[in-house]
C-alpha cells in the first residue's frame, strides 16, 4: 500500500487522493485508526467549521410496493400486506400541512422501484388515478405539495431515465438514490441484491450520471455491513466521486450502517460494529475532501453520536418530528433537543438546512428549475440556510428567541472555534482582515456568534464608553420621481406604482423651506435631504435646494445628496465631480449621506441597480468629497440577492477608502425591506436579512473598522426599537436620527413609524443601562437651547407633497414623460 505518512501529509494539505492511494486505505493497519479519525475531523472542520446540519422533514412513503427483493429490507411490501397501493394526494397533503405547523421544510417522497412493472394492483391503482407510471404520480404529488404548502419535495424515486428526471426536476428541490454498493458480487445468488434488477450498480450509476447532466442536486451514499469488503466500499465511494467530479451535483454522501430486521433473509446477519462505521466515515471524508457533505443517520447509532461527529460527518440527514423512519421503523428519530445537545457535546452547533444544501442554494440559478426559484429564495438566508423564524426587516415582530439566547450567552472560550478566536484577536488589534476572514465572521453561529458579538461590543465599550448618541433631524425627500430602475426601491414613482406609494410629487421651494423652518423650531440640528433622480433635475437644482434651505434656516446642518445625485448633478453641468462638490460646499452643503452604496460589488449592482453608478464611481465621489473637506456617512443595504462575500468586499472597500481619507463619520447597516421592492415582488430576491445576519452586520462592521470608523449606527426604522436594543449589545453606539418624516423605508413596507422623539430615544437608551447623548451630525455636543427646543416640540403639521408638473426631457436616446399630477411615470426607449 501507499506509505501512510505520505497519504496523511496529502490529506493535511487537502490534496486529492488518487484511486490507488484511496484503495490502499483498505489495507491500513488499525494502529493508525486514531490518526485517521483525527485527520477526517480536521478536514471536516476546514469545510464546515463548527456546524453540523440536519433537515427538518416529513417522511412520506408514497408506496411500499417495489419490484426488487433486497434481503435486508422491510420497507417493501406485497399488495396483500398493505391497505392501498399508494397514499392518496389528500393523505399526503394532510401530513405535509401537519408537518408545516411543526416547522418542517422538506417533504421526503420515498417509494419502491417501479412497482407497476411487477404488480397488477399498482397498475390498476395508477390507472384509476389517471396515471400510467408511479413516477408520473410522484410528479403530480410533488407539484401539489409545492403549490399548496411551503415545503420543498425531495424525491427518492430509484433508477430513472433522463426523461423521468426532466419530469421531476421542476417539482423537486433535490433528488436521491443510494448506490449502496458498486460491487456486482452482491447481486449474485445468495447475496443481498440477488433478484433485484434495480440494484445493478451500472444502472444506478447511470441514474447518477443523468442527474448530473440535468443539473439536479443529488444525494447518494453507501450501505455498509451487507457483505461487502472494505475495498469494495472504497470502490463504491470512488465511483461516486468520479461521477461527481464530472458534474458537481452530489450534495451529500450518506454512510449508512446496516441494521438487521426481523422477517428478512438477513435477520441474523451481523451488523457492522462502531469501529467499522467510524473507519468508513473517515475514509469517505478523506476521499471526498473538506467540501463534500457527509452524513450518517443519527437514529441508527444512538449513544455514540459524539464519536460519529469526530469521524468527519457534518450532517445528520433528515429528522422528522412527525413521522417515523419508515425504512428503519425500529430506530426512532432522536428528539431535536437531544440531537442538539449531543451535537454540542461533540463541540458543534446544530443548524437546520433545507433539502437542497446551502452551496447549491446560493447558486440556485444553476441548480434549480425556474419554477422553484421564488420559493427557495423566500425561505433562505444569505448563506443558503433556511429562515427559521418570522422576523422581518421593518415589521413589528418578536425577536427570535434562539438568536437572543446566543446574543446574551456567556460562552466558554473552549466552545469557540479556534479560527474565530484567531480572527477576533487580529481584528481587536486593528489589523486589516482579508476577505475570507470577514466572510468567516459572517458565518458565525452558536458559540461563534456569541464570541463575535462579545468582541465587537468590547471594542465599542473601549472606543465609545457607555454613551449612545442620536441626532434630532428631519428627512426631506424632495421628489419621488426617478428615471432609474433600481430593483430594490419602492419609493420612486414608476409604472403601476401609484396605488402602492401615492402620486408623483416634486416639492416646491416653499414647502422645502417650510419643513426646514418647522424642523428648526422643533429642535432639529440637521436636515437630511435626498430624492429620486428627476429627469429635469440638474446640478443647478441641487444648488438651488441648498440656497432655499440656507435662507430658511441659516444655522441648520445640511446633510444632503447621495453620491448618485452628486454624480448626476456634475454630469448635467459638464463639471468634474470634485469641482461640483466644491460648488455644493460653497452653497452650504455640510456633509453627504453615504446612500446609493447598496452593495459595493458590481456583480450585485448588475442585478439590483444596473443603470446606477458602479462601485468605483461611488467610491470616487466619496473620495472626492473627503478631499474637498466634506465628510460623509457610509452605508450598506443588504439581504436581497447578495452573498456573504459581497458583504465582506463592501466592508473592505469602505475600510480601504477610510484608511486613505478618514472622511467617514459613521457606518450604517440598512437591512433590506422586501415587501414592496420590485426585485422581491418578481420573486428574484430574498425577504431581507435574518435577525442574526442583521446583528452580525453591525458587529462585524465594528470589528473590520476598528481604529478607523468610531461610530456604528443602528436604524430603528429598519430594526424597530427592540432590534436596536439588541444591536446596542453588538458594537453599536449610535441610533441615528429622530427623522420627523421617514418616507423611503415606509414606502418599502416598513411599519416602525416616522419619528422617534428625543424622549423616546432617551428612554430606549436608558433601558439598556446606557447614557443617552444628543449629538450633531459630526458627533459634537448640542447646545442647551437646541436640546430644550427638541424636548418641547409640538406635533408635526401635515406635509404637502407638491404635485409633479408635466415635463418632457430628452436624455440621449431615452425620452421620459411625466403627465400631470396623478399620472404614472412612463418610460420609453
Amino acid at each position: 500500500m501507499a506509505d501512510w505518512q505520505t497519504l496523511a501529509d496529502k490529506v493535511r494539505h487537502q490534496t486529492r487522493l488518487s484511486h490507488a492511494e484511496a484503495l490502499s486505505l483498505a489495507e491500513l493497519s488499525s494502529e493508525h485508526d486514531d490518526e485517521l479519525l483525527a485527520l477526517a475531523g480536521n478536514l471536516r472542520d476546514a469545510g464546515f467549521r463548527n456546524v453540523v446540519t440536519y433537515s427538518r422533514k416529513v417522511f412520506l412513503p408514497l408506496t411500499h410496493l417495489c419490484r426488487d427483493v433486497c434481503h435486508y429490507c422491510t420497507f417493501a411490501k406485497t399488495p396483500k400486506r398493505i391497505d392501498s397501493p399508494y397514499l392518496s394526494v389528500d393523505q399526503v397533503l394532510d401530513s405535509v400541512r401537519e408537518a408545516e405547523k411543526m416547522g418542517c421544510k422538506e417533504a421526503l417522497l420515498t417509494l419502491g422501484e417501479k412497482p407497476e412493472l411487477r404488480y397488477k394492483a399498482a397498475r390498476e391503482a395508477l390507472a384509476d388515478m389517471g396515471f400510467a407510471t408511479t413516477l408520473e404520480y410522484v410528479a403530480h404529488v410533488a407539484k401539489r405539495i409545492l403549490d399548496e404548502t411551503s415545503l420543498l419535495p425531495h424525491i427518492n424515486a430509484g433508477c430513472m431515465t433522463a426523461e423521468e428526471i426532466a419530469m421531476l426536476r421542476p417539482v423537486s428541490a433535490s433528488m436521491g438514490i443510494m448506490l449502496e454498493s458498486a460491487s456486482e458480487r452482491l447481486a449474485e445468488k445468495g447475496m443481498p441484491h440477488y433478484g433485484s434488477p434495480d440494484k445493478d450498480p451500472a444502472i444506478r450509476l447511470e441514474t447518477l450520471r443523468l442527474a448530473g447532466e440535468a443539473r439536479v442536486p443529488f444525494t447518494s451514499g453507501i450501505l455498509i455491513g451487507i457483505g461487502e469488503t472494505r475495498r469494495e466500499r472504497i470502490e463504491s465511494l470512488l465511483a461516486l466521486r468520479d461521477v461527481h467530479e464530472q458534474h458537481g451535483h452530489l450534495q451529500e454522501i450518506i454512510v449508512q450502517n446496516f441494521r438487521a430486521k426481523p422477517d428478512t433473509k438477513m435477520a441474523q446477519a451481523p451488523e457492522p460494529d462502531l469501529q467499522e462505521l467510524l473507519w468508513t466515515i473517515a475514509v469517505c471524508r478523506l476521499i471526498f475532501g473538506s467540501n463534500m457533505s457527509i452524513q450518517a443517520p443519527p437514529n441508527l447509532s444512538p449513544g455514540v453520536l459524539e464519536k460519529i461527529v469526530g469521524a468527519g460527518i457534518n450532517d445528520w440527514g433528515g429528522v422528522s418530528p412527525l413521522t417515523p423512519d419508515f425504512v428503519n421503523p425500529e430506530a426512532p428519530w432522536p428528539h431535536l433537543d437531544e440531537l442538539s445537545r449531543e451535537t454540542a457535546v461533540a463541540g458543534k452547533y446544530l443548524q437546520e438546512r433545507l433539502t437542497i444544501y446551502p452551496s447549491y442554494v446560493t447558486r440556485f440559478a444553476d441548480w434549480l428549475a425556474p419554477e422553484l426559484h421564488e420559493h427557495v429564495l423566500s425561505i433562505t438566508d444569505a448563506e443558503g440556510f433556511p429562515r427559521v423564524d418570522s422576523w422581518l426587516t421593518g415589521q413589528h415582530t418578536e425577536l427570535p428567541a434562539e438568536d437572543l439566547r446566543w446574543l446574551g450567552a456567556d460562552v466558554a472560550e473552549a466552545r469557540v472555534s479556534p479560527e474565530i478566536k484567531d480572527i477576533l484577536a487580529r481584528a481587536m488589534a486593528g489589523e486589516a482582515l482579508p476577505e475570507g476572514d470577514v466572510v468567516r465572521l459572517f458565518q458565525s453561529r452558536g458559540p461563534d456568534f456569541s464570541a463575535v458579538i462579545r468582541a465587537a461590543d468590547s471594542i465599542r465599550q473601549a472606543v465609545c464608553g457607555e454613551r449612545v448618541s442620536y441626532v434630532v433631524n428631519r428627512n426631506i425627500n424632495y421628489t419621488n420621481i426617478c428615471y432609474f430602475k433600481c430593483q430594490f426601491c419602492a419609493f420612486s414613482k414608476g409604472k403601476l406604482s401609484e396605488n402602492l406609494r401615492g402620486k408623483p410629487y416634486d416639492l416646491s421651494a416653499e414647502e422645502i423651506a417650510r419643513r426646514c423652518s418647522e424642523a428648526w423650531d422643533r429642535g432639529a440640528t440637521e436636515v437630511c435631504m435626498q430624492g429620486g433622480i428627476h429627469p429635469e433635475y440638474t446640478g443647478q437644482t441641487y444648488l438651488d435646494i441648498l440656497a432655499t434651505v440656507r435662507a430658511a434656516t441659516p444655522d441648520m446642518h445640511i446633510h444632503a445628496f447621495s453620491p448618485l445625485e452628486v454624480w448626476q448633478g456634475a454630469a448635467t453641468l459638464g463639471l468634474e465631480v470634485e469641482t461640483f462638490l466644491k460648488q455644493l460646499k460653497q452653497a452650504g452643503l455640510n456633509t453627504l449621506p453615504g446612500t446609493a452604496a447598496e452593495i459595493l460589488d458590481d456583480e450585485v449592482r448588475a442585478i439590483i441597480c444596473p443603470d446606477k453608478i458602479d462601485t468605483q464611481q461611488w467610491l470616487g465621489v466619496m473620495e472626492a468629497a473627503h478631499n474637498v473637506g466634506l465628510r460623509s456617512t457610509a452605508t450598506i443595504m443588504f439581504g436581497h440577492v447578495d452573498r456573504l462575500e459581497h458583504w465582506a468586499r463592501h466592508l473592505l472597500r469602505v475600510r480601504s477608502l477610510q484608511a486613505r481619507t478618514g472622511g467617514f463619520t459613521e457606518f450604517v447597516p440598512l437591512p433590506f425591506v422586501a415587501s414592496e421592492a420590485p426585485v422581491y415582488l418578481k420573486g428574484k430576491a430574498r425577504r431581507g436579512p435574518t435577525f442574526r445576519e442583521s446583528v452580525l452586520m453591525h458587529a462585524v462592521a465594528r470589528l473590520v473598522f476598528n481604529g478607523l470608523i468610531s461610530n456604528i449606527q443602528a436604524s430603528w426604522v429598519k430594526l424597530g426599537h427592540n432590534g436596536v436594543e439588541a444591536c446596542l449589545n453588538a458594537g453599536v453606539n449610535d441610533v441615528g436620527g429622530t427623522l420627523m418624516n421617514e418616507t423611503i423605508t415606509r414606502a418599502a413596507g416598513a411599519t416602525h413609524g416616522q419619528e422617534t422623539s428625543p424622549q423616546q430615544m432617551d428612554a430606549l437608551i436608558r433601558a439598556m443601562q446606557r447614557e443617552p447623548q444628543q449629538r450633531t451630525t459630526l458627533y459634537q455636543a448640542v447646545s442647551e437651547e437646541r436640546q430644550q427646543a427638541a424636548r418641547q416640540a409640538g406635533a408635526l403639521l401635515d406635509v404637502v407633497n407638491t404635485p409633479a408638473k408635466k415635463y418632457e426631457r430628452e436624455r440621449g436616446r431615452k425620452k421620459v414623460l411625466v403627465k400631470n399630477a396623478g399620472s404614472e411615470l412612463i418610460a420609453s426607449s
Side-chain angles (χ1 to χ4, degrees):
M1 66 170 283
D3 176 66
W4 165 244
Q5 290 307 323
T6 300
L7 293 182
D9 286 342
K10 289 190 74 171
V11 171
R12 291 187 188 97
H13 290 91
Q14 297 198 38
T15 303
R16 177 184 180 275
L17 297 182
S18 69
H19 273 231
E21 289 167 333
L23 287 169
S24 73
L25 293 172
E27 309 302 324
L28 186 65
S29 168
S30 61
E31 66 184 80
H32 297 300
D33 281 359
D34 289 345
E35 190 175 0
L36 174 71
L37 296 178
L39 279 172
N42 289 337
L43 202 56
R44 181 269 327 282
D45 289 349
F48 297 95
R49 313 179 303 280
N50 70 325
V51 171
V52 173
T53 53
Y54 79 100
S55 175
R56 199 177 183 102
K57 73 178 182 185
V58 56
F59 197 133
L60 302 164
L62 201 58
T63 178
H64 284 276
L65 300 179
C66 181
R67 71 166 177 165
D68 295 330
V69 289
C70 300
H71 297 178
Y72 46 76
C73 179
T74 58
F75 178 80
K77 295 177 172 59
T78 62
K80 292 181 180 180
R81 298 179 60 197
I82 56 177
D83 295 330
S84 175
Y86 297 90
L87 289 179
S88 70
V89 174
D90 288 341
Q91 287 174 310
V92 169
L93 291 176
D94 285 346
S95 291
V96 173
R97 291 183 181 116
E98 189 64 28
E100 194 172 31
K101 296 174 186 176
M102 303 177 77
C104 294
K105 298 173 184 65
E106 173 188 342
L108 170 62
L109 292 170
T110 299
L111 50 147
E113 295 263 3
K114 297 180 173 59
E116 66 273 19
L117 297 182
R118 181 177 180 183
Y119 295 115
K120 180 181 178 183
R123 294 190 293 273
E124 291 177 344
L126 289 169
D128 288 344
M129 294 187 292
F131 303 98
T133 68
T134 297
L135 291 191
E136 286 181 12
Y137 183 54
V138 170
H140 174 74
V141 170
K143 188 174 190 306
R144 291 286 300 273
I145 292 171
L146 270 178
D147 290 346
E148 299 178 35
T149 78
S150 63
L151 274 67
L152 291 168
H154 170 86
I155 298 175
N156 284 343
C159 297
M160 295 178 284
T161 65
E163 293 74 20
E164 288 167 337
I165 292 171
M167 175 179 65
L168 295 175
R169 187 173 187 262
V171 294
S172 61
S174 58
M175 303 183 212
I177 183 172
M178 288 289 282
L179 175 60
E180 296 192 5
S181 177
S183 173
E184 294 180 357
R185 185 178 61 85
L186 298 185
E188 295 174 357
K189 190 170 184 178
M191 300 302 286
H193 290 159
Y194 181 70
S196 300
D198 299 292
K199 292 301 173 77
D200 183 333
I203 296 175
R204 297 179 89 75
L205 286 168
E206 176 66 4
T207 296
L208 285 160
R209 185 187 67 78
L210 293 173
E213 290 181 350
R215 307 290 285 173
V216 175
F218 221 72
T219 291
S220 193
I222 61 173
L223 179 62
I224 71 168
I226 57 173
E228 81 293 346
T229 65
R230 280 188 169 186
R231 183 180 178 87
E232 286 172 330
R233 282 182 216 160
I234 294 174
E235 288 171 342
S236 301
L237 293 171
L238 289 172
L240 290 172
R241 190 179 74 173
D242 287 345
V243 73
H244 176 66
E245 288 179 343
Q246 291 178 39
H247 304 290
H249 64 306
L250 293 186
Q251 57 174 4
E252 65 179 342
I253 301 296
I254 301 172
V255 178
Q256 182 172 332
N257 47 314
F258 161 72
R259 295 288 296 270
K261 298 174 176 63
D263 301 321
T264 67
K265 289 185 178 181
M266 295 181 65
Q268 302 305 314
E271 298 178 346
D273 63 21
L274 175 61
Q275 191 58 34
E276 201 66 22
L277 174 62
L278 299 180
W279 179 91
T280 308
I281 291 170
V283 167
C284 182
R285 175 60 68 192
L286 268 58
I287 289 172
F288 280 95
S290 62
N291 293 322
M292 175 60 74
S293 284
I294 296 175
Q295 176 196 129
N299 58 318
L300 300 185
S301 303
V304 293
L305 300 191
E306 180 182 1
K307 292 183 178 181
I308 290 176
V309 172
I313 69 145
N314 65 285
D315 188 78
W316 292 124
V319 178
S320 178
L322 177 64
T323 52
D325 179 351
F326 289 97
V327 174
N328 298 283
E330 79 287 351
W333 305 114
H335 192 283
L336 286 172
D337 288 343
E338 179 60 28
L339 187 61
S340 178
R341 282 192 293 271
E342 293 207 43
T343 305
V345 168
K348 306 300 174 187
Y349 176 71
L350 184 66
Q351 170 65 43
E352 185 179 353
R353 62 163 173 85
L354 299 178
T355 180
I356 175 173
Y357 273 77
S359 62
Y360 292 82
V361 171
T362 56
R363 296 173 289 152
F364 69 92
D366 294 330
W367 288 104
L368 287 175
E371 293 87 345
L372 294 158
H373 291 183
E374 181 175 357
H375 191 145
V376 169
L377 281 173
S378 70
I379 60 173
T380 52
D381 67 15
E383 201 177 350
F385 286 111
R387 305 177 72 100
V388 293
D389 55 64
S390 59
W391 187 86
L392 289 174
T393 309
Q395 305 302 313
H396 287 285
T397 52
E398 292 295 318
L399 301 185
E402 174 72 1
D403 292 333
L404 290 178
R405 180 171 73 87
W406 288 110
L407 189 63
D410 186 15
V411 175
E413 188 174 342
R415 297 185 63 192
V416 180
S417 301
E419 186 182 14
I420 286 291
K421 287 189 279 192
D422 173 66
I423 296 171
L424 292 178
R426 287 185 281 113
M428 294 180 76
E431 291 185 23
L433 301 175
E435 180 183 315
D437 285 352
V438 181
V439 169
R440 178 66 185 88
L441 293 175
F442 281 125
Q443 291 172 328
S444 299
R445 296 173 187 269
D448 287 356
F449 174 62
S450 291
V452 170
I453 299 308
R454 217 168 41 242
D457 211 48
S458 68
I459 296 175
R460 183 271 311 163
Q461 192 169 40
V463 173
C464 308
E466 299 304 315
R467 293 186 304 278
V468 176
S469 54
Y470 64 91
V471 62
V472 177
N473 66 347
R474 182 170 204 166
N475 271 17
I476 301 177
N477 305 117
Y478 28 77
T479 184
N480 65 347
I481 296 170
C482 185
Y483 64 75
F484 284 88
K485 299 298 180 185
C486 298
Q487 291 299 296
F488 58 84
C489 181
F491 170 72
S492 67
K493 286 304 298 175
K495 193 173 184 181
L496 304 179
S497 64
E498 182 179 324
N499 290 337
L500 290 175
R501 298 178 287 277
K503 297 177 180 180
Y505 71 82
D506 183 12
L507 297 186
S508 66
E510 292 76 14
E511 177 62 11
I512 291 174
R514 187 198 69 76
R515 294 190 194 186
C516 290
S517 297
E518 183 183 32
W520 183 262
D521 292 342
R522 298 180 85 246
T525 58
E526 169 198 304
V527 286
C528 177
M529 300 196 300
Q530 302 170 85
I533 308 300
H534 193 299
E536 286 191 341
Y537 276 21
T538 69
Q540 187 59 49
T541 307
Y542 299 120
L543 293 169
D544 292 344
I545 289 172
L546 290 172
T548 296
V549 177
R550 193 54 71 216
T553 49
D555 296 324
M556 185 76 81
H557 183 106
I558 304 177
H559 182 63
F561 313 138
S562 72
L564 175 60
E565 292 170 291
V566 172
W567 180 275
Q568 187 68 13
T572 59
L573 297 179
L575 300 174
E576 294 293 326
V577 166
E578 188 164 319
T579 302
F580 183 51
L581 283 163
K582 288 177 180 177
Q583 291 185 3
L584 293 172
K585 183 180 179 184
Q586 187 175 5
L589 181 64
N590 299 111
T591 55
L592 271 70
T595 49
E598 327 319 345
I599 297 290
L600 294 176
D601 190 282
D602 289 337
E603 180 184 358
V604 175
R605 299 180 81 80
I607 300 171
I608 64 171
C609 51
D611 53 352
K612 212 169 189 176
I613 56 175
D614 63 24
T615 296
Q616 289 309 312
Q617 289 168 333
W618 189 95
L619 292 168
V621 171
M622 283 306 193
E623 185 158 16
H626 297 170
N627 288 340
V628 303
L630 288 168
R631 302 193 72 187
S632 70
T633 63
T635 67
I636 183 172
M637 194 270 292
F638 64 103
H640 33 83
V641 303
D642 42 356
R643 300 189 301 272
L644 303 187
E645 60 265 34
H646 299 129
W647 300 355
R649 291 169 196 163
H650 183 108
L651 295 186
L652 293 176
R653 285 165 180 159
V654 171
R655 187 187 195 281
S656 177
L657 180 54
Q658 181 72 347
R660 294 198 303 275
T661 69
F664 291 120
T665 57
E666 65 194 26
F667 184 74
V668 190
L670 301 172
F672 173 56
V673 180
S675 59
E676 299 293 349
V679 69
Y680 175 71
L681 294 175
K682 293 174 183 177
K684 296 181 179 180
R686 301 190 303 278
R687 301 179 69 191
T690 64
F691 180 70
R692 171 190 149 275
E693 289 172 330
S694 298
V695 173
L696 269 177
M697 182 60 76
H698 295 80
V700 173
R702 173 64 75 184
L703 292 160
V704 170
F705 298 138
N706 186 20
L708 291 173
I709 299 178
S710 298
N711 302 300
I712 306 297
Q713 183 185 120
S715 168
W716 60 266
V717 176
K718 312 285 188 182
L719 298 168
H721 289 179
N722 57 356
V724 168
E725 290 173 4
C727 288
L728 286 173
N729 286 324
V732 165
N733 71 293
D734 187 80
V735 291
T738 58
L739 299 184
M740 296 190 196
N741 291 110
E742 199 293 317
T743 8
I744 293 176
T745 302
R746 286 186 299 129
T751 59
H752 288 312
Q754 63 173 322
E755 181 178 25
T756 295
S757 69
Q759 291 90 336
Q760 290 172 309
M761 288 287 199
D762 289 349
L764 182 155
I765 294 165
R766 288 196 176 102
M768 297 296 295
Q769 286 76 53
R770 303 281 173 81
E771 176 188 344
Q773 182 182 59
Q774 188 178 335
R775 62 163 174 88
T776 67
T777 308
L778 292 172
Y779 286 82
Q780 296 168 343
V782 175
S783 70
E784 184 63 31
E785 179 273 329
R786 289 285 80 201
Q787 293 188 53
Q788 284 294 108
R791 280 156 179 75
Q792 295 170 4
L796 278 167
L797 298 178
D798 291 338
V799 298
V800 177
N801 286 334
T802 313
K805 299 176 181 178
K806 179 179 179 180
Y807 70 84
E808 186 171 334
R809 182 177 176 221
E810 293 284 347
R811 294 190 63 255
R813 296 174 62 187
K814 175 173 281 192
K815 181 174 71 176
V816 183
L817 173 67
V818 172
K819 298 178 182 178
N820 290 324
S823 70
E824 64 192 16
L825 181 70
I826 303 172
S828 61
S829 297

